[in-house]
Amino acid sequence: MKLRRLFSVVLFGGAIALCCCSRRANQSIGPRNQDLSTASPAASPSATPGSGKPLQAERVDKTWSSKFKFKRKSIKTKHEGNRGYEISVDYPQIESARTSATRRFNHWIKEKATGYVAQFKGLERSAEIHDKRKHLPKVGIDESLEIDYQVYYSDDRLISLRLTHTVMALGQMHPIDYYETLNYDLKEGRDLRAADVFYPAYLKTFSRLCRDQLKENYDLQYATDDWVKSGTTPRAHNFKNWNLVPEGILISFEDYQIAAHAFGQAELIVPYSDLKRVLRPYRVIVRFKGRS
C-alpha cells in the first residue's frame, strides 16, 4: 500500500513534491472544449473591503500575436486492470508554415508528450505487478495523468508556451498540479535555458521586482511575510517558470509557493525596461524592446 500512496511523488521527482495539492480538486479528466491558446480571461476575484486589492491570484489575461497556427493533438488512454488509470495528454503541432525548423519543433514537443505518457505507464505497470504479487484487491480508475498547454506567443524565432501537468495518485485527496514553461528557439532547435537569456544577477532582480508587484497588487491575507519571502527568494527553483512575451518576462508561481491554496497561482509580467542590467542581447528580446 505504501507504493500506491507514494506513486505520484516518485513519478516526476522533486517537481511534483513541491506542490501539495491542486486548484483543480475533484475535477475529472475529460475532453477540452476550449483551446487555452485562445482562452477567454478568467473572472476577477473579489477584493477585500477597504483595501481594493484582490484576495486571490489573477491570471495574465492578455493575448499576443502568433505567427503559427497550432493544432491540438491528444493522447488518451484508459486502463482497467488491477490498478486503473486514465491518461489525457494534449500537445501542440504547427499546421502552418511547414519548414525544417517547424517540423523539428513538432517532433520535439511530440516526443516530450509521448515520453511523459510512457513514463507514467511504466510506473503504473510496475505498481500493478507489485499489487498482484501482494494479492492486493483490484482498484477502480483512481489514478490519472493530465497534461494541457497554453501557447503565449510565436514568431519566426520563438515559440513561448506552458505545459500544465496534473497527476492524481491512489490515496491523494487532490490532484498535484505543476507547470513546465518552454521557450523554444526555432533557429537553435531547443528550449532556452535561463543562462541563454539572463545574466547571473537575474534572480536577485526577479526576487525584488516580483515581491514588490505581489505586495502592491494583492491583499496577501492568505500568506505570511515569511511565506511570500520564501517563495520569492532569489533561488532558481522559485523562478523556473518564465516565458518570453512581447511585454516582458511572464512569471508563473506554483500553488502554495507564495501563499495558501486559497490564494491560487499568481502570474505577473516583469517589463523588459526593469531588466536592462540582467538581460543578455538575445535576438527576440532585442526585437521586443525595439517596439517600446
Side-chain angles (χ1 to χ4, degrees), residues 40-47 54 56-61:
S40 58
S44 298
S46 300
Q56 293 170 295
E58 295 178 317
R59 296 186 61 181
V60 171
D61 58 5

Side-chain angles (χ1 to χ4, degrees), residues 123-175:
L123 289 168
E124 284 287 350
R125 192 178 302 114
S126 297
E128 190 167 53
I129 291 171
H130 170 271
D131 288 359
K132 288 180 179 179
R133 286 176 178 171
K134 296 294 184 179
H135 303 291
L136 296 175
K138 181 178 179 179
V139 296
I141 298 201
D142 201 25
E143 298 185 321
S144 61
L145 168 67
E146 180 180 5
I147 299 177
D148 207 346
Y149 71 89
Q150 180 168 359
V151 176
Y152 288 112
Y153 173 82
S154 71
D155 61 22
D156 57 4
R157 180 70 182 262
L158 174 73
I159 299 175
S160 178
L161 70 150
R162 186 179 72 188
L163 302 180
T164 299
H165 299 243
T166 303
V167 179
M168 183 70 182
L170 190 67
Q172 289 178 205
M173 293 184 64
H174 307 289

Side-chain angles (χ1 to χ4, degrees), residues 20-290:
C20 298
C21 67
S22 170
R23 59 181 173 177
R24 289 186 279 185
N26 302 321
Q27 179 180 358
S28 62
I29 287 182
R32 294 282 181 176
N33 295 320
Q34 185 181 41
D35 191 326
L36 286 177
S37 61
T38 56
S40 58
S44 298
S46 300
T48 305
S51 75
K53 297 181 181 180
L55 273 170
Q56 293 170 295
E58 295 178 317
R59 296 186 61 181
V60 171
D61 58 5
K62 298 183 179 184
T63 58
W64 295 276
S65 62
S66 180
K67 175 181 175 63
F68 303 113
K69 180 179 180 182
F70 294 90
K71 181 178 181 180
R72 180 179 292 272
K73 292 288 188 177
S74 299
I75 303 171
K76 297 187 185 297
T77 300
K78 185 175 182 179
H79 178 70
E80 296 181 346
N82 198 61
R83 175 187 286 260
Y85 63 81
E86 281 187 284
I87 295 173
S88 178
V89 172
D90 289 350
Y91 61 93
Q93 294 281 272
I94 297 174
E95 281 193 305
S96 57
R98 289 296 183 92
T99 65
S100 59
T102 59
R103 285 193 293 269
R104 186 164 52 184
F105 167 80
N106 283 349
H107 178 75
W108 177 80
I109 195 70
K110 180 180 179 181
E111 287 292 299
K112 181 178 285 288
T114 55
Y116 287 134
V117 170
Q119 185 180 26
F120 185 87
K121 285 183 176 180
L123 289 168
E124 284 287 350
R125 192 178 302 114
S126 297
E128 190 167 53
I129 291 171
H130 170 271
D131 288 359
K132 288 180 179 179
R133 286 176 178 171
K134 296 294 184 179
H135 303 291
L136 296 175
K138 181 178 179 179
V139 296
I141 298 201
D142 201 25
E143 298 185 321
S144 61
L145 168 67
E146 180 180 5
I147 299 177
D148 207 346
Y149 71 89
Q150 180 168 359
V151 176
Y152 288 112
Y153 173 82
S154 71
D155 61 22
D156 57 4
R157 180 70 182 262
L158 174 73
I159 299 175
S160 178
L161 70 150
R162 186 179 72 188
L163 302 180
T164 299
H165 299 243
T166 303
V167 179
M168 183 70 182
L170 190 67
Q172 289 178 205
M173 293 184 64
H174 307 289
I176 295 174
D177 237 10
Y178 70 97
Y179 293 140
E180 181 182 3
T181 53
L182 305 169
N183 298 275
Y184 185 88
D185 187 315
L186 286 160
K187 183 178 180 180
E188 297 289 334
R190 65 178 177 87
D191 186 31
L192 293 171
R193 301 178 297 269
D196 296 320
V197 180
F198 311 114
Y199 290 117
Y202 83 99
L203 288 172
K204 291 183 179 179
T205 303
F206 274 5
S207 174
R208 174 176 55 82
L209 295 174
C210 289
R211 193 175 294 171
D212 289 346
Q213 271 205 48
L214 290 167
K215 290 182 177 181
E216 180 181 351
N217 295 337
Y218 293 106
D219 183 333
L220 295 171
Q221 67 172 256
Y222 289 120
T224 63
D225 287 342
D226 287 344
W227 204 338
V228 176
K229 183 178 179 180
S230 175
T232 56
T233 296
R235 296 175 181 170
H237 70 264
N238 278 337
F239 297 101
K240 68 184 189 303
N241 296 320
W242 55 271
N243 283 97
L244 295 169
V245 297
E247 293 180 26
I249 304 298
L250 171 60
I251 303 292
S252 303
F253 289 99
E254 299 279 11
D255 202 6
Y256 287 100
Q257 182 176 344
I258 56 176
H261 177 71
F263 177 71
Q265 292 165 274
E267 301 171 10
L268 55 85
I269 296 176
V270 180
Y272 291 121
S273 58
D274 293 339
L275 298 171
K276 293 179 180 179
R277 294 184 178 181
V278 296
L279 288 175
R280 294 186 185 276
Y282 180 63
R283 176 185 167 188
V284 173
I285 295 178
V286 171
R287 184 187 307 171
F288 288 159
K289 290 167 68 177

